[in-house]
Amino acid sequence: MQTEKSINVLGEKLETCSTDPETGFYRDGCCNTGPDDHGSHTVCVVMTAEFLEFSKARGNDLSTPVPAFGFPGLKAGDGWCLCAARWHEAFEAGKAPRVRLRATHQAALAHCDLGDLKSHGIDLS
């Protein structure tokens, strides 16, 4: 069960990231986190083919379905709660996917700089 307050990186109420596919460490559609989420699945991204290849090359294949775990496999355009450290790694390599800031949990800021996240933000107006 989540214990971290559901606040986004902008200090507002956390919005839903994706329900199709259903994402989040708790599979609640949001990038909520808590003490069991050791990977900090807190950055809401819109997947790109480039990032999926980058992640696969780093040993985390997000595109292949794993039915035994209810994982559909991801494709470009899918929303997903990504591990904050993986997003930061991709950012440093120039491969980071775009970020939905209003659906990115404030806990991501322990791993990612707000300015970096904003530079990839798709929901700032």
Side-chain angles (χ1 to χ4, degrees):
M1 180 170 179
Q2 75 186 37
T3 59
E4 300 285 330
K5 196 170 182 182
S6 296
I7 301 295
N8 67 29
V9 293
L10 302 175
E12 304 163 347
K13 183 178 183 248
L14 186 68
E15 293 183 2
T16 299
C17 181
S18 175
T19 56
D20 185 22
E22 188 133 65
T23 191
F25 181 77
Y26 299 103
R27 292 300 187 263
D28 60 0
C30 294
C31 297
N32 285 307
T33 192
D36 296 334
D37 181 13
H38 301 290
S40 188
H41 296 78
T42 51
V43 181
C44 179
V45 302
V46 177
M47 285 292 163
T48 63
E50 180 181 44
F51 174 77
L52 288 167
E53 281 300 314
F54 172 83
S55 188
K56 188 174 186 177
R58 297 293 195 276
N60 188 19
D61 181 359
L62 296 172
S63 54
T64 301
V66 184
F69 292 104
F71 181 68
L74 302 175
K75 62 187 181 315
D78 285 343
W80 196 251
C81 293
L82 191 61
C83 292
R86 178 55 49 112
W87 186 89
H88 182 72
E89 178 187 15
F91 174 79
E92 289 188 333
K95 309 285 185 186
R98 301 296 303 254
V99 176
R100 291 193 52 237
L101 297 164
R102 289 182 172 85
T104 295
H105 197 283
Q106 66 181 353
L109 297 175
H111 306 274
C112 306
D113 180 77
L114 181 58
D116 295 343
L117 292 168
K118 283 184 173 181
S119 74
H120 282 63
I122 57 174
D123 58 350
L124 288 178
S125 50

